[in-house]
Amino acid sequence: MRASEQPGRLHKLKLLDSSRISVATQRALLASFAAQLLVILPIALAGRLYMDDLMRAADGERAWSAAGRPLADLLYWLANLGDPAVNVFPLYQVISAALVALAAVLLARLLGVRQPALVAVATFPLGAQPYFLQNYSYAFDALTMSAGLLSAVAAAYWICSQGGGRPIIFGSLALFAALTLYQPALTAYMLIAVTVPLLNQAEDRNRQLISAVAVGGIAVLIYHYAVPISNSYHANKLVLLQWSSFVPSIVHNLEEYWHLLMAHWQGSFVGWNIALIFFLSIILSAVPIANRKNSSKKIQFETIYSPVALVFCVGLSYGALLLMEKPIYVPRVFIGVGVAITLMNLVIVRQVSILRCKWIRGFQWILVIPVYSLAYAFLNVSFAYGNASAAQKDFDLGFYTRLIHDLGVLDPHQEADTIGFIGAGPKSPTLLNSEKKFPILGSLVKSHVNNNFYWGSYQLRHYGIDLKQAVVAKAMREQITQGELKPAIDRRDYEIFLLDHAMVVNFAVR
C-alpha cells in the first residue's frame, strides 16, 4: 500500500484524480450500482404502491415542505418535470440506487478500500440492509431520502478527507441539504464523522472531530431557525428531550430501539452473521494501519480508539433520533444500521489486507467470508420482501374487490360521507409464512386499509370508492367490538356498519 493510500493519511485523498474520476473509482461505482440494482429489482417487480404513494399518485401532491423538507420538494419537482407529481416507478428507484452507490464509494474511500468487488460487497448493506428496503419502496420519496443519505455522507467525507476551512463550509452546506431532504440522514453523518477519524487512527483526528462537531452544530442551528415545520405530526415528532429527564429518556429510547432489533434478528442467520462481523471487526480494528515515528507504546494506545469507535457506532446506531422526546421506530429511519454494518465490513476488508501474521498468511480470505455471506443474506431478505409485497398486492385486489362490492350494496346512492376502520385488513398467506423466517417483513409489508393516517381511504379510492377517512369514536368502537351494535353486513373477515352517513368497517371480528 503506497503512503498516499494509507488510511492513516486519508486527509490527502482526492475524489478527483487529474480533474477526472479515476478508473478504480469508476469501476467501484459501477459495481456498487449493479449491487444496489439487485436490491431494488424485487421491489420493482412487485410494483406495489407504498403508503404515502397512494395519496401522491392520486392527488399529485408532494407536501414535504410542510414536514421540514423543502429541498425534497424542489428535487422532486425538478426530477418530475414540474407539477403535478406523477408516479414514474421504478425510475426513481434506479436513480436512488445510483445515489446510494455513490455514497458507498465515498465511504469506502474514507476507509482506504478501493478494489471494486470489495467496495460493492462491503458497502452493500448501506442500501441493502432490510430497514432501508422501506426507503427504496416509496415510488415518490425514495429519490429524496437517498439524496439525503448521499448529502450526509458527502458532508462527513469533506470533514474526514480534507484539511483547512473549506471542509467546514462545504460540510455544513451538505449537511444542511441532507436535513432539508430527509432529517434522519443526520444519523449517517454523526456515525461516520465521529467514527472514521478513530478507525483510521488519523494523526489529525482531533481536528477532524472538532470540525465534525462544528459542522453538525452549524447545520442543525441553521435548519432549526430557517426551516419551518407546519405539519403537526412531524412537528410533534421532532421535539427534543427535556433536560430534566435527558439521560433516563435516552436510555429508554436506546432500550426500545435495541429491543426492536433483537425481536427482528435474534437467533436468525442474519443476526448471528452480524454478530460475527461485529466481533471480527472489533478484533481486527486494533491492528495498527500505518507506520509512524511515534513510539510503539503510543501506537498501541492509539489502536484502542478503533474498537471503542466501532462499539459506539453500533451501540448508538439509532443516532440523532435518540434525542427525540417521541422517537419513531419505523424501518425507514434506521439508516444508522446500514452505516454501522458498512463501516464494520470496510474495517474487516481493510485490516485483512494489511495483516502480517505468518500463521494466517494465504488464508486471509477466510476472514472476509462473513462479509460476503451477509450480503447474500440481505439479498435473500430483499427478494423475500419483494415476493411478499407482490403476494399482498394480489391478495388485496381480491379482498378489497369483495369489500367494495359490499360497500356499494350497502350504500347504492353513495349517501355516506366518511369511512372509518377498526383494526387492519388481513395479510396474505405468503406474507404470514415469510414473517416466520424474517419478522422484519411484518413491519415492511402492511395492509394499507387500517385506522392509521389516511392510507385506507386512498387505497379504496384506487379501487373506485371515494370516501374521506374518519377516526372511529372511542364509544362507538367499544360498542362495535363488544357486539352491542348489529352490523349491516356480516362477513367472515369483516363487518360493515352504516351509522349517520358514516361507514365503519370492523376487521377485528374474529
Side-chain angles (χ1 to χ4, degrees):
M1 182 180 291
R2 296 194 301 268
S4 62
E5 295 179 344
Q6 291 180 356
R9 302 179 182 179
L10 287 174
H11 59 280
K12 296 182 180 180
L13 289 177
K14 304 287 185 180
L15 178 60
L16 301 179
D17 296 334
S18 302
S19 300
R20 62 181 181 178
I21 300 178
S22 66
V23 174
T25 300
Q26 292 179 42
R27 291 175 178 174
L29 183 57
L30 287 175
S32 296
F33 180 46
Q36 294 301 319
L37 285 179
L38 284 176
V39 180
I40 68 169
L41 176 62
I43 298 174
L45 292 175
R48 183 177 186 240
L49 286 175
Y50 199 76
M51 297 187 184
D52 292 354
D53 293 340
L54 295 166
M55 177 268 291
R56 294 189 171 102
D59 291 346
E61 297 180 0
R62 299 182 307 273
W64 289 305
S65 293
R69 302 169 58 194
L71 193 54
D73 259 332
L74 177 60
L75 176 61
Y76 195 90
W77 183 81
L78 292 172
N80 207 231
L81 306 179
D83 289 326
V86 296
N87 185 12
V88 294
F89 181 88
L91 174 60
Y92 296 151
Q93 274 62 31
V94 175
I95 298 176
S96 297
L99 297 178
V100 173
L102 180 54
V105 171
L106 290 177
L107 190 51
R109 288 179 67 86
L110 284 178
L111 272 294
V113 179
R114 300 191 178 198
Q115 206 280 332
L118 289 177
V119 171
V121 175
T123 62
F124 189 61
L126 193 62
Q129 56 105 346
Y131 299 104
F132 202 80
L133 293 176
Q134 188 175 73
N135 304 69
Y136 271 148
S137 296
Y138 286 96
F140 291 79
D141 210 0
L143 173 65
T144 59
M145 290 189 284
S146 298
L149 173 61
L150 173 59
S151 296
V153 174
Y157 180 86
W158 275 102
I159 294 301
C160 299
S161 65
Q162 303 288 328
R166 286 190 301 174
I168 294 181
I169 297 174
F170 289 112
S172 299
L173 291 174
L175 186 56
F176 176 74
L179 290 169
T180 55
L181 284 164
Y182 188 53
Q183 297 95 335
L186 176 62
T187 294
Y189 170 80
M190 291 174 58
L191 296 180
I192 298 169
V194 173
T195 305
V196 167
L198 301 177
L199 291 178
N200 285 337
Q201 302 167 21
E203 296 176 353
D204 62 340
R205 62 176 176 273
N206 291 336
R207 189 272 307 168
Q208 294 181 19
L209 292 173
I210 293 173
S211 298
V213 174
V215 165
I218 292 171
V220 170
L221 284 175
I222 294 176
Y223 177 81
H224 177 72
Y225 289 106
V227 180
I229 301 176
S230 57
N231 183 293
S232 59
Y233 171 80
H234 291 88
N236 291 334
K237 291 298 182 181
L238 292 176
V239 175
L240 294 175
L241 294 172
Q242 300 294 325
W243 282 110
S244 58
S245 59
F246 189 77
V247 174
S249 296
I250 286 184
V251 172
H252 172 75
N253 293 344
L254 199 57
E255 288 177 348
E256 292 290 319
Y257 170 68
W258 276 100
H259 180 268
L260 182 61
L261 293 184
M262 291 296 103
H264 287 158
W265 307 111
Q266 189 172 21
S268 68
F269 176 85
V270 173
W272 284 112
N273 203 148
I274 294 175
L276 178 59
I277 286 176
F278 173 71
F279 288 110
L280 191 58
S281 63
I282 291 293
I283 295 171
L284 291 175
S285 66
V287 177
I289 60 177
N291 294 322
R292 298 190 178 93
K293 299 179 181 179
N294 297 331
S295 65
S296 58
K297 182 180 293 187
K298 185 174 182 180
I299 292 177
Q300 291 175 1
F301 179 75
E302 288 180 348
T303 59
I304 297 176
Y305 293 139
S306 297
V308 172
L310 282 178
V311 172
F312 161 82
C313 183
V314 174
L316 301 181
S317 55
Y318 193 41
L321 294 172
L322 287 171
L323 304 176
M324 300 295 105
E325 186 174 306
K326 299 177 181 178
I328 54 177
Y329 301 100
V330 292
R332 62 183 176 273
V333 304
F334 288 8
I335 291 178
V337 172
V339 173
I341 297 175
T342 298
L343 287 173
M344 290 190 293
N345 281 350
L346 290 171
V347 166
I348 292 174
V349 169
R350 181 187 70 184
Q351 300 298 93
V352 165
S353 68
I354 63 176
L355 284 177
R356 295 294 181 266
C357 299
K358 294 182 179 180
W359 58 271
I360 202 173
R361 187 172 299 168
F363 297 94
Q364 292 99 321
W365 59 270
I366 295 177
L367 298 177
V368 186
I369 289 178
V371 176
Y372 282 85
S373 63
L374 184 63
Y376 177 73
F378 280 169
L379 204 57
N380 268 266
V381 177
S382 66
F383 274 81
Y385 168 61
N387 289 328
S389 296
Q392 187 65 37
K393 178 183 176 181
D394 294 338
F395 184 82
D396 286 347
L397 178 60
F399 179 81
Y400 294 121
T401 297
R402 292 190 290 114
L403 175 61
I404 289 170
H405 174 268
D406 286 340
L407 292 174
V409 170
L410 181 60
D411 186 27
H413 302 294
Q414 299 182 359
E415 297 177 354
D417 300 317
T418 62
I419 188 168
F421 303 100
I422 299 175
K427 298 180 179 180
S428 73
T430 299
L431 175 56
L432 291 172
N433 179 63
S434 300
E435 283 183 24
K436 297 176 184 177
K437 176 171 287 186
F438 303 122
I440 179 61
L441 297 184
S443 299
L444 293 174
V445 185
K446 292 180 177 292
S447 171
H448 292 142
V449 178
N450 54 56
N451 57 350
N452 292 323
F453 296 103
Y454 45 78
W455 301 324
S457 61
Y458 274 99
Q459 177 75 81
L460 296 184
R461 185 175 173 183
H462 284 277
Y463 289 121
I465 294 292
D466 191 2
L467 292 171
K468 292 183 179 180
Q469 186 164 341
V471 177
V472 181
K474 182 179 180 180
M476 183 180 295
R477 180 190 300 271
E478 292 177 351
Q479 287 180 311
I480 290 175
T481 55
Q482 294 174 7
E484 297 178 5
L485 296 178
K486 184 178 179 180
I489 294 179
D490 189 1
R491 299 287 185 249
R492 183 177 63 179
D493 37 17
Y494 59 83
E495 299 172 332
I496 304 178
F497 300 81
L498 181 57
L499 307 167
D500 298 328
H501 298 285
M503 286 188 175
V504 177
V505 181
N506 177 28
F507 292 112
V509 293
R510 298 289 185 268

